[in-house]
Amino acid sequence: MRNFRIGTTILAVVLIAFLASCGGAVYEAGTYTGEGKGHGGTIRLEVSVDKKSITDITIIDNPESDFSLPAINKLIDTAIEKNSGDIDSISGATETSAGVIAAIQSALAKAQTGEAVPQASQKESTGAQDISVDIAVIGSGGAGLSAAIEAKNAGAQVIIIEKLSVAGGNTNYATGGLNAAETRFQEEQGIEDSAELFFEDTMKGGKNINNPELVKVLTSRSNETVDWLTDLGADLSDVGRLGGASVNRTHRPKGGKAVGAHVTGTLQKVAEAAGVEIRLDNKAVALIHKSSTVTGVEVESPEGRYTITAKAVILATGGFGASQEKIVQYKPELKGFGTTNHPGATGDALDLVKGLNVALVDIEQIQTHPTVVPVRNTMITEAVRGNGAILVNRDAERFVSELETRDVVSDAELAQEGETAFLLFDQGVRDSLAAIEKYANSGLLTEGSSLEELATAMDMDAAVLEETVAAYNSYVAAGTDPDYGRANMPRQLTTAPYYMVEVGPAVHHTMGGIKIDTEARVIDKDGTPVPGLYAAGEVTGGVHGANRLGGNAMADITTFGRIAGLSAAQGK
């Protein structure tokens, strides 16, 4: 039935085009509802038409993340402008685009009369113009936005170029939180922590191959970053714990909401209000340099190719987790693995710096995330485990401490039958973490009114599952896990209904990248800073070592993004 409906919608569009020479009314004037499947669930729109054209499109239900709203609005504007549902999807929001386009086409199929729809004429390009600025930032994720704001506040003229149609990059998909020590929110909640303990946890998690000087900057200045983001309007008041942390230090919005889109939304508003120009659909294709000094960027845009001359360039293009080619090049054993990364995470900066003798560090260190839904490649945030969920195998038994580092949990899952596992939690965990609602709305969770009912639905032995949960609950009560040594067990799993979702490892983070120093200056193979070139975020290497702790990426991109912006503005 689903394929039939899609087919009839497409047939309607084709029929309209076929009848292009016909006169009379195109639509039955009125308002029509259409639905389409997006990334987060079903998108519902109301499309209003008169006899010849689309007059308005209103969002009725939008289960997508906040960062997708600009993309949805752009699609709506394009549909109205072109007077058609036959429009292109937006890069960086492919699934959302498909849902919106399907909803528009579905509504128009109901409205159309069989006459041809008059199409709006295409606007002619005015051509791209070369420009000059103080600082050009490549990439609009958390690192790029943080860098741009700090550079602008330091008096620089700043532009951000972003190859996708949506700002925010991979940061939009970050869910768990931002790690920081000695913060106001920890103090308010009676959490004892220190930059030294944070340093030790990060070095241990990275197998001690991290650059200790970079880690020292990250862990000692993370509290400043939390203050800075809070002052800009972000909410980081909820403090939890992710794998590898000795204490609760993962900061996120109240109620455990997803942190990434919240932070990028805050930063984008602040950047634009400060006068930072953000050019979407503009891709950096080359760095301009005289000898070894970087002097600008060559950019490809919808209007054509142009040059940005700049006193400094900041690379904030993210990692290469969405490039199967680069993943296999640096770690062949990950061939065929899925990825949690957005489509823009293709390692562009690694290609941009090839002519500059830039040093790379830890480039083969690539992390898998252990709780990713197979086929869908939807990541279930580590915060679900942090708030009390457990992992079981097909025998309904636990097999690992759920809050071990990501590499350890991933390897443990791969050792199970089917090379996947099942995340299990109750209503108490769901109520404690708002981020879970999007998984429920996306239809990812299997629900049971009892453990027995859930086990039956998952084809597991109910008695074994009940025994597993009872044992875990006893460990929570006793405050110790004799089976696997899990340290943080915040709640028993006793409140029905119960939920499960199948999960397994997928490529998540590339720890290696371009070498930088503590001022975020790019370093060449001779150990010398490359004049005019800075970098921050996942594009760099050295901070995380062999394994990144959950929550450290958000701290990394914002802390070193700020440093890169100031260093570039001050000409360090």
PDB file of all heavy atoms in Angstrom, residues 17-48:
ATOM      1  N   ALA A  17       2.548  17.609 -15.557  1.00  0.00           N
ATOM      2  CA  ALA A  17       3.510  18.035 -16.572  1.00  0.00           C
ATOM      3  C   ALA A  17       3.013  17.678 -17.976  1.00  0.00           C
ATOM      4  O   ALA A  17       3.178  18.432 -18.929  1.00  0.00           O
ATOM      5  CB  ALA A  17       4.866  17.394 -16.311  1.00  0.00           C
ATOM      6  N   PHE A  18       2.377  16.499 -18.110  1.00  0.00           N
ATOM      7  CA  PHE A  18       1.895  16.024 -19.405  1.00  0.00           C
ATOM      8  C   PHE A  18       0.798  16.930 -19.961  1.00  0.00           C
ATOM      9  O   PHE A  18       0.671  17.122 -21.168  1.00  0.00           O
ATOM     10  CB  PHE A  18       1.387  14.600 -19.247  1.00  0.00           C
ATOM     11  CG  PHE A  18       0.802  14.027 -20.521  1.00  0.00           C
ATOM     12  CD1 PHE A  18       1.620  13.656 -21.579  1.00  0.00           C
ATOM     13  CD2 PHE A  18      -0.571  13.868 -20.647  1.00  0.00           C
ATOM     14  CE1 PHE A  18       1.093  13.144 -22.731  1.00  0.00           C
ATOM     15  CE2 PHE A  18      -1.103  13.354 -21.807  1.00  0.00           C
ATOM     16  CZ  PHE A  18      -0.279  12.984 -22.857  1.00  0.00           C
ATOM     17  N   LEU A  19       0.023  17.485 -19.037  1.00  0.00           N
ATOM     18  CA  LEU A  19      -1.096  18.325 -19.460  1.00  0.00           C
ATOM     19  C   LEU A  19      -0.721  19.802 -19.510  1.00  0.00           C
ATOM     20  O   LEU A  19      -1.552  20.683 -19.292  1.00  0.00           O
ATOM     21  CB  LEU A  19      -2.275  18.126 -18.496  1.00  0.00           C
ATOM     22  CG  LEU A  19      -2.882  16.715 -18.476  1.00  0.00           C
ATOM     23  CD1 LEU A  19      -3.915  16.613 -17.361  1.00  0.00           C
ATOM     24  CD2 LEU A  19      -3.507  16.381 -19.818  1.00  0.00           C
ATOM     25  N   ALA A  20       0.530  20.093 -19.773  1.00  0.00           N
ATOM     26  CA  ALA A  20       1.039  21.462 -19.683  1.00  0.00           C
ATOM     27  C   ALA A  20       0.327  22.430 -20.617  1.00  0.00           C
ATOM     28  O   ALA A  20       0.284  23.629 -20.381  1.00  0.00           O
ATOM     29  CB  ALA A  20       2.545  21.472 -19.995  1.00  0.00           C
ATOM     30  N   SER A  21      -0.226  21.905 -21.717  1.00  0.00           N
ATOM     31  CA  SER A  21      -0.865  22.803 -22.678  1.00  0.00           C
ATOM     32  C   SER A  21      -2.340  23.064 -22.371  1.00  0.00           C
ATOM     33  O   SER A  21      -2.986  23.830 -23.063  1.00  0.00           O
ATOM     34  CB  SER A  21      -0.744  22.205 -24.089  1.00  0.00           C
ATOM     35  OG  SER A  21      -1.403  20.948 -24.122  1.00  0.00           O
ATOM     36  N   CYS A  22      -2.851  22.423 -21.343  1.00  0.00           N
ATOM     37  CA  CYS A  22      -4.282  22.563 -21.027  1.00  0.00           C
ATOM     38  C   CYS A  22      -4.565  23.869 -20.303  1.00  0.00           C
ATOM     39  O   CYS A  22      -3.732  24.390 -19.590  1.00  0.00           O
ATOM     40  CB  CYS A  22      -4.755  21.399 -20.167  1.00  0.00           C
ATOM     41  SG  CYS A  22      -4.596  19.811 -20.997  1.00  0.00           S
ATOM     42  N   GLY A  23      -5.747  24.390 -20.442  1.00  0.00           N
ATOM     43  CA  GLY A  23      -6.138  25.599 -19.739  1.00  0.00           C
ATOM     44  C   GLY A  23      -7.035  25.273 -18.562  1.00  0.00           C
ATOM     45  O   GLY A  23      -7.236  24.127 -18.219  1.00  0.00           O
ATOM     46  N   GLY A  24      -7.639  26.336 -17.971  1.00  0.00           N
ATOM     47  CA  GLY A  24      -8.566  26.125 -16.875  1.00  0.00           C
ATOM     48  C   GLY A  24      -7.888  26.055 -15.532  1.00  0.00           C
ATOM     49  O   GLY A  24      -6.694  26.285 -15.395  1.00  0.00           O
ATOM     50  N   ALA A  25      -8.673  25.717 -14.516  1.00  0.00           N
ATOM     51  CA  ALA A  25      -8.168  25.678 -13.145  1.00  0.00           C
ATOM     52  C   ALA A  25      -7.203  24.513 -12.968  1.00  0.00           C
ATOM     53  O   ALA A  25      -7.422  23.416 -13.474  1.00  0.00           O
ATOM     54  CB  ALA A  25      -9.327  25.547 -12.176  1.00  0.00           C
ATOM     55  N   VAL A  26      -6.126  24.780 -12.240  1.00  0.00           N
ATOM     56  CA  VAL A  26      -5.132  23.754 -11.937  1.00  0.00           C
ATOM     57  C   VAL A  26      -5.513  23.014 -10.670  1.00  0.00           C
ATOM     58  O   VAL A  26      -5.395  21.793 -10.584  1.00  0.00           O
ATOM     59  CB  VAL A  26      -3.739  24.404 -11.771  1.00  0.00           C
ATOM     60  CG1 VAL A  26      -2.716  23.375 -11.315  1.00  0.00           C
ATOM     61  CG2 VAL A  26      -3.306  25.059 -13.067  1.00  0.00           C
ATOM     62  N   TYR A  27      -5.964  23.784  -9.651  1.00  0.00           N
ATOM     63  CA  TYR A  27      -6.309  23.198  -8.367  1.00  0.00           C
ATOM     64  C   TYR A  27      -7.758  23.500  -8.019  1.00  0.00           C
ATOM     65  O   TYR A  27      -8.350  24.467  -8.503  1.00  0.00           O
ATOM     66  CB  TYR A  27      -5.434  23.789  -7.252  1.00  0.00           C
ATOM     67  CG  TYR A  27      -3.963  23.563  -7.405  1.00  0.00           C
ATOM     68  CD1 TYR A  27      -3.091  24.638  -7.486  1.00  0.00           C
ATOM     69  CD2 TYR A  27      -3.424  22.284  -7.438  1.00  0.00           C
ATOM     70  CE1 TYR A  27      -1.718  24.453  -7.600  1.00  0.00           C
ATOM     71  CE2 TYR A  27      -2.061  22.075  -7.553  1.00  0.00           C
ATOM     72  CZ  TYR A  27      -1.209  23.175  -7.640  1.00  0.00           C
ATOM     73  OH  TYR A  27       0.137  22.981  -7.758  1.00  0.00           O
ATOM     74  N   GLU A  28      -8.300  22.685  -7.144  1.00  0.00           N
ATOM     75  CA  GLU A  28      -9.530  23.032  -6.455  1.00  0.00           C
ATOM     76  C   GLU A  28      -9.104  23.888  -5.268  1.00  0.00           C
ATOM     77  O   GLU A  28      -8.415  23.405  -4.364  1.00  0.00           O
ATOM     78  CB  GLU A  28     -10.251  21.781  -5.960  1.00  0.00           C
ATOM     79  CG  GLU A  28     -10.798  20.895  -7.058  1.00  0.00           C
ATOM     80  CD  GLU A  28     -12.020  21.496  -7.736  1.00  0.00           C
ATOM     81  OE1 GLU A  28     -12.558  22.496  -7.206  1.00  0.00           O
ATOM     82  OE2 GLU A  28     -12.421  20.981  -8.788  1.00  0.00           O
ATOM     83  N   ALA A  29      -9.441  25.163  -5.287  1.00  0.00           N
ATOM     84  CA  ALA A  29      -8.981  26.082  -4.243  1.00  0.00           C
ATOM     85  C   ALA A  29      -9.361  25.571  -2.855  1.00  0.00           C
ATOM     86  O   ALA A  29     -10.462  25.073  -2.638  1.00  0.00           O
ATOM     87  CB  ALA A  29      -9.571  27.471  -4.474  1.00  0.00           C
ATOM     88  N   GLY A  30      -8.434  25.664  -1.936  1.00  0.00           N
ATOM     89  CA  GLY A  30      -8.682  25.191  -0.586  1.00  0.00           C
ATOM     90  C   GLY A  30      -7.386  24.861   0.130  1.00  0.00           C
ATOM     91  O   GLY A  30      -6.296  25.197  -0.335  1.00  0.00           O
ATOM     92  N   THR A  31      -7.491  24.203   1.263  1.00  0.00           N
ATOM     93  CA  THR A  31      -6.337  23.799   2.065  1.00  0.00           C
ATOM     94  C   THR A  31      -6.347  22.291   2.224  1.00  0.00           C
ATOM     95  O   THR A  31      -7.376  21.699   2.583  1.00  0.00           O
ATOM     96  CB  THR A  31      -6.368  24.475   3.451  1.00  0.00           C
ATOM     97  OG1 THR A  31      -6.312  25.894   3.277  1.00  0.00           O
ATOM     98  CG2 THR A  31      -5.176  24.033   4.295  1.00  0.00           C
ATOM     99  N   TYR A  32      -5.183  21.684   1.952  1.00  0.00           N
ATOM    100  CA  TYR A  32      -5.087  20.229   1.931  1.00  0.00           C
ATOM    101  C   TYR A  32      -3.933  19.775   2.830  1.00  0.00           C
ATOM    102  O   TYR A  32      -2.888  20.433   2.908  1.00  0.00           O
ATOM    103  CB  TYR A  32      -4.854  19.723   0.506  1.00  0.00           C
ATOM    104  CG  TYR A  32      -5.957  20.131  -0.439  1.00  0.00           C
ATOM    105  CD1 TYR A  32      -5.922  21.367  -1.079  1.00  0.00           C
ATOM    106  CD2 TYR A  32      -7.033  19.279  -0.674  1.00  0.00           C
ATOM    107  CE1 TYR A  32      -6.941  21.760  -1.937  1.00  0.00           C
ATOM    108  CE2 TYR A  32      -8.059  19.657  -1.537  1.00  0.00           C
ATOM    109  CZ  TYR A  32      -8.014  20.897  -2.169  1.00  0.00           C
ATOM    110  OH  TYR A  32      -9.018  21.281  -2.997  1.00  0.00           O
ATOM    111  N   THR A  33      -4.128  18.642   3.482  1.00  0.00           N
ATOM    112  CA  THR A  33      -3.120  18.102   4.384  1.00  0.00           C
ATOM    113  C   THR A  33      -2.308  17.016   3.679  1.00  0.00           C
ATOM    114  O   THR A  33      -2.851  16.187   2.945  1.00  0.00           O
ATOM    115  CB  THR A  33      -3.774  17.483   5.632  1.00  0.00           C
ATOM    116  OG1 THR A  33      -4.521  18.494   6.310  1.00  0.00           O
ATOM    117  CG2 THR A  33      -2.713  16.934   6.588  1.00  0.00           C
ATOM    118  N   GLY A  34      -1.002  17.058   3.918  1.00  0.00           N
ATOM    119  CA  GLY A  34      -0.114  16.032   3.366  1.00  0.00           C
ATOM    120  C   GLY A  34       0.841  15.531   4.433  1.00  0.00           C
ATOM    121  O   GLY A  34       1.160  16.248   5.386  1.00  0.00           O
ATOM    122  N   GLU A  35       1.284  14.285   4.294  1.00  0.00           N
ATOM    123  CA  GLU A  35       2.197  13.681   5.259  1.00  0.00           C
ATOM    124  C   GLU A  35       3.398  13.079   4.543  1.00  0.00           C
ATOM    125  O   GLU A  35       3.296  12.645   3.398  1.00  0.00           O
ATOM    126  CB  GLU A  35       1.500  12.582   6.071  1.00  0.00           C
ATOM    127  CG  GLU A  35       0.371  13.072   6.950  1.00  0.00           C
ATOM    128  CD  GLU A  35      -0.227  11.958   7.792  1.00  0.00           C
ATOM    129  OE1 GLU A  35       0.194  10.786   7.605  1.00  0.00           O
ATOM    130  OE2 GLU A  35      -1.099  12.246   8.628  1.00  0.00           O
ATOM    131  N   GLY A  36       4.522  13.056   5.264  1.00  0.00           N
ATOM    132  CA  GLY A  36       5.725  12.431   4.747  1.00  0.00           C
ATOM    133  C   GLY A  36       6.598  11.978   5.896  1.00  0.00           C
ATOM    134  O   GLY A  36       6.579  12.581   6.980  1.00  0.00           O
ATOM    135  N   LYS A  37       7.361  10.920   5.682  1.00  0.00           N
ATOM    136  CA  LYS A  37       8.224  10.356   6.720  1.00  0.00           C
ATOM    137  C   LYS A  37       9.564  11.072   6.726  1.00  0.00           C
ATOM    138  O   LYS A  37      10.323  11.012   5.764  1.00  0.00           O
ATOM    139  CB  LYS A  37       8.432   8.857   6.472  1.00  0.00           C
ATOM    140  CG  LYS A  37       9.213   8.144   7.560  1.00  0.00           C
ATOM    141  CD  LYS A  37       8.394   8.009   8.831  1.00  0.00           C
ATOM    142  CE  LYS A  37       9.098   7.127   9.841  1.00  0.00           C
ATOM    143  NZ  LYS A  37       8.342   6.996  11.096  1.00  0.00           N
ATOM    144  N   GLY A  38       9.860  11.759   7.838  1.00  0.00           N
ATOM    145  CA  GLY A  38      11.139  12.434   7.994  1.00  0.00           C
ATOM    146  C   GLY A  38      12.096  11.633   8.842  1.00  0.00           C
ATOM    147  O   GLY A  38      11.881  10.447   9.103  1.00  0.00           O
ATOM    148  N   HIS A  39      13.162  12.271   9.316  1.00  0.00           N
ATOM    149  CA  HIS A  39      14.156  11.588  10.145  1.00  0.00           C
ATOM    150  C   HIS A  39      13.596  11.231  11.511  1.00  0.00           C
ATOM    151  O   HIS A  39      13.865  10.162  12.052  1.00  0.00           O
ATOM    152  CB  HIS A  39      15.384  12.487  10.307  1.00  0.00           C
ATOM    153  CG  HIS A  39      16.448  11.894  11.177  1.00  0.00           C
ATOM    154  ND1 HIS A  39      17.259  10.870  10.752  1.00  0.00           N
ATOM    155  CD2 HIS A  39      16.826  12.169  12.451  1.00  0.00           C
ATOM    156  CE1 HIS A  39      18.104  10.547  11.716  1.00  0.00           C
ATOM    157  NE2 HIS A  39      17.859  11.313  12.760  1.00  0.00           N
ATOM    158  N   GLY A  40      12.779  12.134  12.068  1.00  0.00           N
ATOM    159  CA  GLY A  40      12.296  11.939  13.423  1.00  0.00           C
ATOM    160  C   GLY A  40      10.882  11.404  13.534  1.00  0.00           C
ATOM    161  O   GLY A  40      10.394  11.178  14.644  1.00  0.00           O
ATOM    162  N   GLY A  41      10.212  11.208  12.405  1.00  0.00           N
ATOM    163  CA  GLY A  41       8.840  10.737  12.440  1.00  0.00           C
ATOM    164  C   GLY A  41       8.048  11.307  11.271  1.00  0.00           C
ATOM    165  O   GLY A  41       8.612  11.721  10.250  1.00  0.00           O
ATOM    166  N   THR A  42       6.721  11.371  11.429  1.00  0.00           N
ATOM    167  CA  THR A  42       5.848  11.829  10.343  1.00  0.00           C
ATOM    168  C   THR A  42       5.689  13.342  10.368  1.00  0.00           C
ATOM    169  O   THR A  42       5.285  13.929  11.374  1.00  0.00           O
ATOM    170  CB  THR A  42       4.461  11.172  10.447  1.00  0.00           C
ATOM    171  OG1 THR A  42       4.619   9.753  10.360  1.00  0.00           O
ATOM    172  CG2 THR A  42       3.550  11.643   9.317  1.00  0.00           C
ATOM    173  N   ILE A  43       6.024  13.969   9.247  1.00  0.00           N
ATOM    174  CA  ILE A  43       5.863  15.415   9.076  1.00  0.00           C
ATOM    175  C   ILE A  43       4.504  15.676   8.435  1.00  0.00           C
ATOM    176  O   ILE A  43       4.165  15.058   7.417  1.00  0.00           O
ATOM    177  CB  ILE A  43       6.983  15.986   8.183  1.00  0.00           C
ATOM    178  CG1 ILE A  43       8.350  15.757   8.836  1.00  0.00           C
ATOM    179  CG2 ILE A  43       6.755  17.474   7.909  1.00  0.00           C
ATOM    180  CD1 ILE A  43       9.521  16.043   7.917  1.00  0.00           C
ATOM    181  N   ARG A  44       3.708  16.558   9.027  1.00  0.00           N
ATOM    182  CA  ARG A  44       2.397  16.902   8.494  1.00  0.00           C
ATOM    183  C   ARG A  44       2.368  18.382   8.136  1.00  0.00           C
ATOM    184  O   ARG A  44       2.749  19.233   8.947  1.00  0.00           O
ATOM    185  CB  ARG A  44       1.279  16.586   9.489  1.00  0.00           C
ATOM    186  CG  ARG A  44       1.100  15.097   9.764  1.00  0.00           C
ATOM    187  CD  ARG A  44      -0.018  14.819  10.764  1.00  0.00           C
ATOM    188  NE  ARG A  44      -1.326  15.205  10.242  1.00  0.00           N
ATOM    189  CZ  ARG A  44      -2.070  16.185  10.746  1.00  0.00           C
ATOM    190  NH1 ARG A  44      -1.641  16.892  11.779  1.00  0.00           N
ATOM    191  NH2 ARG A  44      -3.242  16.468  10.239  1.00  0.00           N
ATOM    192  N   LEU A  45       1.920  18.674   6.920  1.00  0.00           N
ATOM    193  CA  LEU A  45       1.833  20.051   6.439  1.00  0.00           C
ATOM    194  C   LEU A  45       0.422  20.334   5.916  1.00  0.00           C
ATOM    195  O   LEU A  45      -0.283  19.412   5.485  1.00  0.00           O
ATOM    196  CB  LEU A  45       2.828  20.291   5.289  1.00  0.00           C
ATOM    197  CG  LEU A  45       4.305  20.012   5.537  1.00  0.00           C
ATOM    198  CD1 LEU A  45       5.087  20.218   4.246  1.00  0.00           C
ATOM    199  CD2 LEU A  45       4.847  20.906   6.635  1.00  0.00           C
ATOM    200  N   GLU A  46       0.024  21.589   5.951  1.00  0.00           N
ATOM    201  CA  GLU A  46      -1.183  22.058   5.285  1.00  0.00           C
ATOM    202  C   GLU A  46      -0.764  22.947   4.126  1.00  0.00           C
ATOM    203  O   GLU A  46      -0.022  23.914   4.316  1.00  0.00           O
ATOM    204  CB  GLU A  46      -2.085  22.834   6.243  1.00  0.00           C
ATOM    205  CG  GLU A  46      -2.890  21.947   7.180  1.00  0.00           C
ATOM    206  CD  GLU A  46      -3.895  22.726   8.003  1.00  0.00           C
ATOM    207  OE1 GLU A  46      -3.828  23.983   8.026  1.00  0.00           O
ATOM    208  OE2 GLU A  46      -4.753  22.074   8.635  1.00  0.00           O
ATOM    209  N   VAL A  47      -1.220  22.597   2.936  1.00  0.00           N
ATOM    210  CA  VAL A  47      -0.881  23.342   1.722  1.00  0.00           C
ATOM    211  C   VAL A  47      -2.140  24.037   1.211  1.00  0.00           C
ATOM    212  O   VAL A  47      -3.149  23.379   0.913  1.00  0.00           O
ATOM    213  CB  VAL A  47      -0.315  22.405   0.643  1.00  0.00           C
ATOM    214  CG1 VAL A  47       0.030  23.199  -0.621  1.00  0.00           C
ATOM    215  CG2 VAL A  47       0.915  21.672   1.170  1.00  0.00           C
ATOM    216  N   SER A  48      -2.078  25.357   1.136  1.00  0.00           N
ATOM    217  CA  SER A  48      -3.215  26.149   0.655  1.00  0.00           C
ATOM    218  C   SER A  48      -2.974  26.556  -0.794  1.00  0.00           C
ATOM    219  O   SER A  48      -1.860  26.954  -1.157  1.00  0.00           O
ATOM    220  CB  SER A  48      -3.404  27.403   1.519  1.00  0.00           C
ATOM    221  OG  SER A  48      -3.706  27.039   2.859  1.00  0.00           O
TER     222      SER A  48
END
